[in-house]
Amino acid sequence: MGIVAGLDSSPDFTRIVVCDTDTGAVLRQGYAPHPVDTPDGAARPSDVDPQAWLLSLGEAAGGGLLEGVQAIGVSAQQNALIPLDAQGNTVRPAIVGGDRRAQVAAADLIDALGGREAWAQAVGSVPQAAQPVTKLRWLAKAEPENARRTAALLQAHDWLVWQLLGRPVRRTTDRGGASGTGYWSAAAGGYRSDLVELALGHQAMLPEVIGPSDAAGTTPEGLLISAGTGETMAAAFGLGLGFGDAVVSLGASGSVMAVHPEALADTSGMITSLADATGMHLPVVTTLNAVRTLRGTAELLGLADLESLSDLAMKSTPGSHGLVMLPYLEGERTPNLPHTAGTLAGLRRESMRAEHLARASFEGMLCGLADALDVLRGRGVEVRRIFLLGKAAELPAVQAAAPMLFGAQVVVPQPADYAAVGAARQAAWALGVSQGTLDPRTPPVWQGAAAQVLEPGDEMAVGQAVRQQFVSVREQTHPGAFRV
């Protein structure tokens, strides 16, 4: 028996789990917030000194947490862009998150290459404000001197791996992280350096993309560091996703992703074609409105929290007495309606009750995510089982409606840092390959996450009727906006 560690450097904190290499059982764990000063109520900063991530990592690993660990895997927030100069020093703070400053740059890039279809064919995604390629364009326009000094590009997990290894000449990344940059093609398995030049104005050094079970290197102390990956890919790996599995994430916005054997080029831009941490692919479809729909409805009804909204919704019945909410409160990406607003339809005297509005908010949110699932299904992605993630997944109203609306078995895993677990599993894989005990094509089999399993059962027909009610209102309100 050996032990490995996985660390997840999220936007707000570092979590480290130490796991048994054979079973994946979590033996111990550490946690530390990032030392980034964000006043209460203020938005998370878009510029962050990466040294904050190292400080957090050191604190989380305190108290002998890593004693006896043989290998470490690194998961980190996606889309963080770290520009380095020719000496390997940061040119400016890392640009993180969905940076609104880059929205104009995204439109510029789309036009510069010849439209959305050209981008989808080139790299499997259409530029969005969060992506590194778009942030490069913003940097070139807004900070031309910093752009000129930029000689190399890394993302968060690339930079952390490089630091752990002592800043060697060789810099590495993995397919998962590279696939989110906007300048690496998941379909072709290679960089599009011409797109870096299009965005930045000149070429820059890019990290070597290594295989899922490869090691990035070994520290002077003999600690093996695996390839690392982005949070989305690490969480999928930690959950043990396979063919037929999809993940629906319930945050303020929502996302749907599934394991697929090939990259999907989508000219509509609704699908982002990412690579996973095993050599397969993770097509992702995003909605702008998930839990924010529930929070808005709770505030409208004067309820203190989402638990109260769920309790109220459970007093209604499927279909909400004909009340339908199109939850496009912030505009929407799926379907592509960036400037629209939400819609409440089916108002009748008998439907104008608080419990029906509460139920309609849950059904509207889940029907919007079911639309996203249909985008993937329409492209041949098999979905037999759906993992439901996020705190809202524990709400009774979500659990009552999701199986019937999604038309599939729904699995609600117990809360855990699956990204850190996935990073540890990757470390165990790389360690096993280096020792000759594991096949580089087959990851270690770890025990699955403890979970609640929900079946649609006899409610399937009811769910289809509710979906059809939603689709009818959507088509009447936004005819032709949604094409699968």
Side-chain angles (χ1 to χ4, degrees):
M1 184 186 79
I3 58 173
V4 292
L7 72 88
D8 174 33
S9 181
S10 82
D12 299 313
F13 60 82
T14 299
R15 173 87 65 189
I16 301 176
V17 296
V18 176
C19 299
D20 171 67
T21 55
D22 296 325
T23 66
V26 176
L27 306 176
R28 50 187 187 262
Q29 54 188 306
Y31 167 89
H34 291 329
V36 176
D37 184 20
T38 303
D40 290 343
R44 185 185 290 132
S46 297
D47 293 340
V48 175
D49 183 349
Q51 292 295 330
W53 308 332
L54 278 183
L55 291 171
S56 174
L57 192 165
E59 185 178 345
L65 183 77
L66 299 180
E67 186 176 344
V69 165
Q70 297 165 276
I72 293 179
V74 177
S75 157
Q77 60 180 299
Q78 289 161 233
N79 298 321
L81 177 70
I82 305 165
L84 303 178
D85 63 19
Q87 288 72 47
N89 300 313
T90 51
V91 169
R92 67 176 318 283
I95 310 174
V96 300
D99 197 331
R100 289 183 177 272
R101 297 175 299 186
Q103 287 177 337
V104 173
D108 285 348
L109 280 177
I110 292 170
D111 291 342
L113 194 64
R116 301 169 70 86
E117 183 171 354
W119 277 96
Q121 294 294 341
V123 290
S125 64
V126 177
Q128 299 152 18
Q131 286 183 298
V133 70
T134 308
K135 291 168 179 172
L136 282 180
R137 181 74 158 196
W138 174 85
L139 186 67
K141 297 287 187 181
E143 300 178 1
E145 181 55 36
N146 283 337
R148 280 191 289 273
R149 291 176 54 214
T150 297
L153 304 172
L154 293 178
Q155 293 190 87
H157 88 263
D158 311 336
W159 188 85
L160 285 166
V161 165
W162 186 52
Q163 296 292 325
L164 288 172
L165 291 172
R167 295 165 57 106
V169 173
R170 182 193 189 212
R171 302 185 185 106
T172 62
T173 190
D174 84 308
R175 297 168 64 256
S179 67
T181 59
Y183 44 81
W184 187 86
S185 168
Y191 282 116
R192 287 288 303 266
S193 55
D194 58 315
L195 300 181
V196 174
E197 186 167 357
L198 180 69
L200 184 61
H202 61 85
Q203 293 290 345
M205 290 288 292
L206 302 172
E208 176 188 346
V209 180
I210 61 177
S213 62
D214 291 343
T218 304
T219 68
E221 297 78 26
L223 193 63
L224 183 142
I225 308 295
S226 63
T229 195
E231 273 190 316
T232 296
M233 301 80 190
F237 198 42
L239 284 166
L241 296 192
F243 289 125
D245 289 337
V247 172
V248 173
S249 295
L250 300 177
S253 56
S255 68
V256 176
M257 66 179 179
V259 178
H260 198 58
E262 60 187 22
L264 298 177
D266 174 46
T267 56
S268 73
M270 284 194 288
I271 298 175
T272 297
S273 192
L274 300 176
D276 80 346
T278 71
M280 298 298 175
H281 295 269
L282 276 179
V284 179
V285 180
T286 303
T287 69
L288 292 182
N289 301 279
V291 176
R292 65 164 43 96
T293 304
L294 306 183
R295 295 201 182 283
T297 306
E299 290 171 8
L300 180 66
L301 293 173
L303 300 174
D305 50 41
L306 297 186
E307 288 75 16
S308 300
L309 184 70
S310 175
D311 292 343
L312 185 60
M314 293 297 286
K315 296 177 182 177
S316 181
T317 55
S320 309
H321 274 246
L323 205 59
V324 176
M325 180 184 291
L326 301 183
Y328 307 152
L329 308 184
E330 298 285 329
E332 190 47 81
R333 281 188 57 189
T334 308
N336 185 30
L337 297 166
H339 306 299
T340 194
T343 301
L344 192 61
L347 282 170
R348 296 183 177 86
R349 182 64 190 89
E350 62 269 21
S351 67
M352 296 176 70
R353 297 177 63 90
E355 62 265 31
H356 302 324
L357 178 57
R359 176 91 188 196
S361 70
F362 282 95
E363 291 179 344
M365 174 188 75
L366 292 170
C367 282
L369 289 160
D371 279 351
L373 272 168
D374 283 349
V375 171
L376 295 180
R377 285 171 165 148
R379 292 297 306 276
V381 177
E382 188 174 353
V383 177
R384 296 191 304 269
R385 181 172 65 160
I386 296 169
F387 286 78
L388 200 56
L389 302 185
K391 188 168 175 53
E394 301 170 28
L395 297 173
V398 169
Q399 296 189 4
M404 72 169 83
L405 294 177
F406 293 158
Q409 182 187 84
V410 171
V411 178
V412 184
Q414 287 186 356
D417 196 324
Y418 291 105
V421 172
R425 188 180 177 206
Q426 187 194 67
W429 193 7
L431 179 66
V433 169
S434 74
Q435 295 172 338
T437 59
L438 289 178
D439 188 320
R441 297 162 297 180
T442 308
V445 178
W446 280 8
Q447 60 195 18
Q452 184 177 4
V453 179
L454 310 169
E455 300 284 356
D458 297 336
E459 299 283 296
M460 184 83 84
V462 176
Q464 290 176 340
V466 175
R467 278 291 317 276
Q468 188 53 52
Q469 180 177 268
F470 178 89
V471 169
S472 296
V473 172
R474 190 195 66 216
E475 283 300 304
Q476 290 167 10
T477 310
H478 305 287
F482 192 87
R483 289 286 180 265
V484 178

